Amino acid sequence: MTAVRAFEAVARLGSATLAARELGVSPSAVSHQLALLDAFMEQPLTRRDGRGLALTEAGREYFRSVRTAFAVLRGATDQMRDGHRNAPVQLGVIPLFGRTWLFRHIGDFLGRNPDVELTVSYSHHRNYVSDSADLSVRFGDGQWKGYEAHRILSGAVAPFCSADLVARHPASLDQPMLLSTLPLVHDQDRNGWRLWFERHQSDRNPAPGLLVEDGNLALQAVLDGMGIALLRPSLVGALVDEGQLVRLSEEAMQDDRDYYLCHLSQQPLSGAEDRLLRWIIERCGADASAAPRRAPPDRR
């Protein structure tokens, strides 16, 4: 851990000298710790860059993983030294939810709760078991072992494109089968568009088109005029109101997955966590008194 601490300081400050000053040791001691960490990892995390140090590709990847943990540790230490003046809460969010919903609204909560020190991180949507946040916004069926899940937004999808694409293809958009002539953007896999066309009895092959990893990238591709994507009206409605997106069908397709606000079943919420949970539920338009969906406790 001493070596990891030295590495984090060097990566954050960009200098072994500054890191040594912060840690109260000599620059040579920092260099020694970096060498120990390289040996333990069996690959270099830093490299010489002129008279300074730069991160290798492996070092950049490792720093992305450890910097959040050290930030939380520093914050917890400062809270204790300052006499608990602030109430820390860590909220994990899916990138698209954070981009389209959270940061449009969270200022209201923070203005009403100046004592809350909020940290926002990514929910690990590939493996929610590794999620260490106090509260996390997740997408799925609401069944996660050991968690209570409050449904907050619909996960139904509908076709959207950019206003620019509408301007470039006005004739196509006037025709009933408008979706059969324009480029597609696929989110995570190609099944979404396949199901859409099957439901509408279209013989279009949905395979062609850009495939991206998640909804956040799909939204950006649509905004950049690259095609039509199946996006979630519950999240992108504000972009329609602002004229950035155009919804191409009033019909929405549901696949029994929605957005949930989750927390551990066996761990009581702090006062600040409970306030944030109730605020998100109310702001999303859900019934704050509704019973949450509870999965069996994780007994691993």
Side-chain angles (χ1 to χ4, degrees):
M1 287 302 297
T2 300
V4 175
R5 185 183 177 202
F7 167 79
E8 187 275 340
V10 169
R12 174 168 44 84
L13 299 173
S15 164
T17 301
L18 293 177
R21 189 176 306 165
E22 178 180 282
L23 298 174
V25 298
S26 67
S28 61
V30 170
S31 298
H32 177 66
Q33 293 299 325
L34 293 179
L36 289 177
L37 187 60
D38 286 352
F40 180 78
M41 294 294 189
E42 298 182 346
Q43 59 184 314
L45 301 181
T46 59
R47 58 177 174 80
R48 284 289 174 186
D49 185 15
R51 299 181 64 182
L53 290 174
L55 298 181
T56 63
E57 183 176 350
R60 288 194 297 272
E61 181 178 351
Y62 187 55
F63 179 54
R64 282 195 294 268
S65 300
V66 302
R67 63 182 175 185
T68 300
F70 274 89
V72 171
L73 287 172
R74 281 192 294 271
T77 303
D78 292 342
Q79 296 287 339
M80 186 64 67
R81 293 182 64 188
D82 293 344
H84 302 281
R85 282 203 297 262
N86 296 321
V89 178
Q90 185 169 4
L91 174 65
V93 299
I94 298 169
L96 182 61
F97 180 89
R99 174 182 181 180
T100 59
W101 193 92
L102 181 68
F103 295 122
R104 288 176 173 267
H105 300 280
I106 196 63
D108 174 73
F109 174 80
L110 295 176
R112 296 169 183 264
N113 299 271
D115 63 309
V116 174
E117 187 171 277
L118 181 64
T119 299
V120 179
S121 59
Y122 286 139
S123 293
H124 300 286
H125 69 287
R126 303 297 186 195
N127 180 17
Y128 282 128
V129 176
S130 66
D131 194 344
S132 61
D134 303 313
L135 301 171
S136 57
V137 175
R138 303 179 174 190
F139 182 70
D141 62 4
Q143 298 291 332
W144 294 282
K145 286 185 177 181
Y147 283 86
E148 290 186 7
H150 305 256
R151 182 182 179 278
I152 53 174
L153 290 173
S154 169
V157 295
F160 290 83
C161 71
S162 67
D164 176 66
L165 194 67
V166 172
R168 287 189 281 120
H169 298 273
S172 298
L173 296 172
D174 288 338
Q175 299 173 11
M177 292 305 295
L178 57 93
L179 299 185
S180 67
T181 61
L182 297 177
L184 304 178
V185 175
H186 302 271
D187 174 359
Q188 198 168 18
D189 59 41
R190 302 184 189 276
N191 288 330
W193 274 118
R194 178 181 58 79
L195 292 172
W196 179 272
F197 287 123
E198 286 179 359
R199 176 171 295 188
H200 292 80
Q201 298 180 339
S202 169
D203 59 358
R204 175 168 183 181
N205 177 9
L210 177 67
L211 175 64
V212 297
E213 183 177 359
D214 61 20
N216 197 39
L217 293 176
L219 172 60
Q220 189 59 55
V222 169
L223 291 173
D224 288 338
M226 299 187 67
I228 306 171
L230 292 171
L231 302 175
R232 309 189 191 281
S234 60
L235 291 182
V236 302
L239 297 176
V240 175
D241 295 339
E242 294 167 1
Q244 298 186 59
L245 289 180
V246 176
R247 182 170 177 171
L248 300 177
S249 172
E250 289 305 310
E251 181 181 351
M253 183 174 69
Q254 177 63 269
D255 65 356
D256 297 323
R257 295 184 299 168
D258 295 300
Y259 289 91
Y260 292 86
L261 181 60
C262 304
H263 59 89
L264 288 168
S265 303
Q266 304 300 316
Q267 182 173 309
L269 294 175
S270 69
E273 292 161 5
D274 185 66
R275 276 182 278 157
L276 179 58
L277 178 140
R278 292 180 180 277
W279 177 86
I280 291 177
I281 291 174
E282 181 179 357
R283 194 75 178 215
C284 285
D287 181 2
S289 64
R293 181 177 295 186
R294 179 175 295 184
D298 188 352
R299 303 189 182 281
R300 289 180 305 164

